Amino acid sequence: MDTPRTHTENPSTTDADATLAGKTAELADEKRDDDVEEQPTARRELVDQTAPRPASEPAAQDSPRLRDVTGTFGSYVRGRRDALAGFARTHRAATALLAVLAVAAVAALAIAFVQAGAVPGAEVVREDALARLSAPAYSSGTYGHDDVLVAREADVRSLARSGSASDDASAQFGASGYASAEVVVSYTGSFVSANQGATLEYACVDGTWAGIGEARDVQVAWSTSTGVDQEKVVRNVHLLLGRADEQATGNEDESPSLVELYDGAKAQVTSEVFDSEAQTDTLEIRCERAAGYYSYTCDLTVSFAFRSASGQWEVTEVSVADGARTRNLDPLMGTWEGTFQSQQTDGGKCLAAREAGLIVTIGEASEDELSGTVSGLAHYHEHPSDDAAGCEGDLAFENVPFTAKLTGGEGLTFEAALPEDVDGTATLTLRFGSEDDPDLVTGELKSAYPHTGSFLFFPVDETLVYTDLFTLRKTS
């Protein structure tokens, strides 16, 4: 006889289900405590999903326990969402007001953030810089071009928010913020340009930025597009000559100085080299001074540098070519024709030179020497008993070479001994200028005739001298 079988639940499955059911009950209690308005449907779903399954259900469907917990939490969230939606529908006016307040709070925070870093616009600063900063004072100095500067543009290098006004700018009533800007304003003229940098301050009052205080840290940098003013250089050439005297080695005690020697000299610029990049200028200057029938010539090389801090040209070096103190006798070169004026002698005069005249041609001239040829008449005879238009023994000569040396005396005086003749000797003296008349040029031709005379019937050796005086004029 078969014994009837009795169905017995799996102990392990029962215990697990009981445990899960207990936890589910705890969650349900917490849910009821948190929200008294929980929907019945949600509670039934939670109970149904956590209730023990009959033993007849397959074991494979009892394994996803975690999915049951997740479903429970989802139901909880949906319940909270439905509750909040119900509250919003019930209190629509309060909800709208809260939303508006939230948006306003966010906007206020955004505005505060923007204002915390706000600065005036670059265009505002540029216009203000051009209006507030005036052109820097310009002085051309001794050698620069006179010029007028005009503002061209302003460049904003930086803008920064400030916590307050500086000591140079008083605080502004009602200001919501302060700022400072570093600017550079460019000015240009016909010859020079300037960049003026400064720091400007601003205050924001009623939402508008305005400049305050005075410009700070003002600095100016100058530049030039051309060289020195040559006319000014020529007018002030005496300063350059003085600089040359100071720089000359071993010439400190020379007299006269270059300044004295070229007082009233004519100066002109013969060449110029301007370096725009290096801001330098180099001039070649020739100074010429004519004094009667001689002159001095001085060639200067002058270097200038343009100073960006002052906007002026400065002399950096002066050099002088050799020969600046050497007397130039080139004006004496040429042909001079003489007109007879008088004769000096110790007896009767022979005036044959009045017709013969005197012609002097100077071919070479140095500081202390002249050379050339002379044509005239020498008196190699005794004194006539009375003044005569001519005498036997007068010797005419042409193109006799001579070399005349500079001697002391009035003006420029040169003396030359002509080649000796069998009947005597002749000496030529040339004088260019005098104290009374710097333009006067004279020539003397002295004839010496040695012979034996008698005194009380005794023979006596003597030399008769005739000096013919001529005024000279240059014909070529």
Side-chain angles (χ1 to χ4, degrees):
M1 180 176 182
D2 294 334
T3 304
R5 295 181 180 180
T6 304
H7 177 74
T8 305
E9 294 181 350
N10 190 330
S12 61
T13 300
T14 303
D15 295 341
D17 291 342
T19 302
L20 180 58
K23 291 181 179 182
T24 302
E26 292 175 2
L27 288 175
D29 293 339
E30 292 177 0
K31 177 175 178 297
R32 284 191 299 269
D33 293 338
D34 293 338
D35 189 356
V36 298
E37 294 181 4
E38 186 67 25
Q39 298 295 326
T41 303
R43 286 197 300 268
R44 283 196 302 270
E45 290 177 353
L46 181 62
V47 172
D48 294 340
Q49 291 175 1
T50 57
R53 292 186 181 86
S56 61
E57 294 182 0
Q61 294 179 0
D62 296 337
S63 59
R65 306 298 186 185
L66 182 60
R67 188 181 310 154
D68 294 338
V69 176
T70 303
T72 301
F73 183 73
S75 297
Y76 169 76
V77 172
R78 284 192 296 272
R80 296 290 293 175
R81 180 193 62 193
D82 294 341
L84 182 60
F87 177 82
R89 285 191 297 270
T90 305
H91 305 85
R92 290 182 178 180
T95 303
L97 179 59
L98 290 175
V100 171
L101 292 176
V103 171
V106 172
L109 290 174
I111 292 173
F113 177 78
V114 171
Q115 288 183 343
V119 293
E123 187 60 30
V124 171
V125 174
R126 276 193 289 268
E127 293 180 358
D128 178 65
L130 291 172
R132 291 173 65 187
L133 295 178
S134 58
Y138 171 66
S139 174
S140 58
T142 306
Y143 307 106
H145 290 276
D146 295 330
D147 209 350
V148 177
L149 297 177
V150 178
R152 296 301 182 189
E153 60 180 356
D155 181 21
V156 181
R157 299 295 175 85
S158 68
L159 279 168
R161 182 88 173 182
S162 302
S164 61
S166 69
D167 296 337
D168 298 325
S170 59
Q172 302 297 301
F173 179 77
S176 60
Y178 296 92
S180 64
E182 293 182 358
V183 298
V184 175
V185 179
S186 300
Y187 303 85
T188 58
S190 300
F191 305 99
V192 297
S193 301
N195 287 331
Q196 182 173 226
T199 299
L200 303 178
E201 292 187 79
Y202 297 88
C204 184
V205 179
D206 296 332
T208 301
W209 288 97
I212 60 174
E214 299 294 332
R216 297 185 290 108
D217 304 327
V218 179
Q219 296 181 343
V220 182
W222 298 88
S223 63
T224 182
S225 58
T226 59
V228 296
D229 186 336
Q230 295 187 11
E231 292 183 358
K232 284 189 175 181
V233 172
V234 169
R235 287 200 301 267
N236 293 285
V237 72
H238 61 283
L239 300 178
L240 303 176
L241 291 169
R243 179 74 172 265
D245 279 326
E246 295 174 0
Q247 292 186 180
T249 304
N251 291 336
E252 292 82 355
D253 298 328
E254 285 199 31
S255 181
S257 66
L258 290 176
V259 175
E260 296 172 328
L261 202 57
Y262 288 91
D263 183 25
K266 176 184 177 181
Q268 63 176 344
V269 177
T270 57
S271 70
E272 178 181 21
V273 177
F274 171 65
D275 189 332
S276 177
E277 182 176 352
Q279 297 283 274
T280 59
D281 199 14
T282 302
L283 300 185
E284 298 286 344
I285 305 171
R286 168 158 288 190
C287 300
E288 294 180 320
R289 172 178 168 256
Y293 291 96
Y294 63 90
S295 65
Y296 289 94
T297 301
C298 176
D299 289 323
L300 297 172
T301 301
V302 186
S303 298
F304 299 88
F306 187 83
R307 301 307 185 189
S308 61
S310 65
Q312 296 184 355
W313 286 100
E314 293 183 2
V315 178
T316 57
E317 184 179 4
V318 179
S319 61
V320 182
D322 295 337
R325 289 182 171 83
T326 301
R327 183 186 290 111
N328 184 352
L329 300 179
D330 288 348
L332 304 184
M333 296 178 63
T335 299
W336 300 78
E337 293 186 3
T339 300
F340 180 80
Q341 298 297 317
S342 63
Q343 184 183 80
Q344 296 176 350
T345 186
D346 293 334
K349 296 179 179 180
C350 176
L351 304 178
R354 183 168 53 188
E355 297 295 332
L358 181 69
I359 299 176
V360 178
T361 300
I362 301 173
E364 294 182 6
S366 64
E367 183 179 11
D368 57 1
E369 187 177 276
L370 300 176
S371 61
T373 60
V374 59
S375 300
L377 183 143
H379 302 279
Y380 297 142
H381 55 76
E382 297 182 12
H383 289 122
S385 56
D386 294 314
D387 292 349
C391 300
E392 186 179 353
D394 290 334
L395 177 64
F397 57 86
E398 292 183 1
N399 300 324
V400 175
F402 73 89
T403 298
K405 299 292 186 179
L406 180 66
T407 63
E410 190 177 0
L412 285 175
T413 302
F414 296 86
E415 187 174 301
L418 301 182
E420 187 175 359
D421 192 90
V422 294
D423 294 323
T425 59
T427 302
L428 175 66
T429 301
L430 301 173
R431 292 187 178 90
F432 298 90
S434 67
E435 292 183 0
D436 297 333
D437 187 354
D439 296 327
L440 178 64
V441 180
T442 62
E444 294 179 359
L445 188 57
K446 182 186 294 185
S447 302
Y449 171 62
H451 80 110
T452 301
S454 63
F455 179 74
L456 299 175
F457 304 104
F458 291 100
V460 177
D461 292 334
E462 61 180 355
T463 300
L464 304 180
V465 178
Y466 302 86
T467 302
D468 294 324
L469 178 64
F470 302 84
T471 57
L472 300 176
R473 63 184 181 86
K474 193 173 185 180
T475 58
S476 64

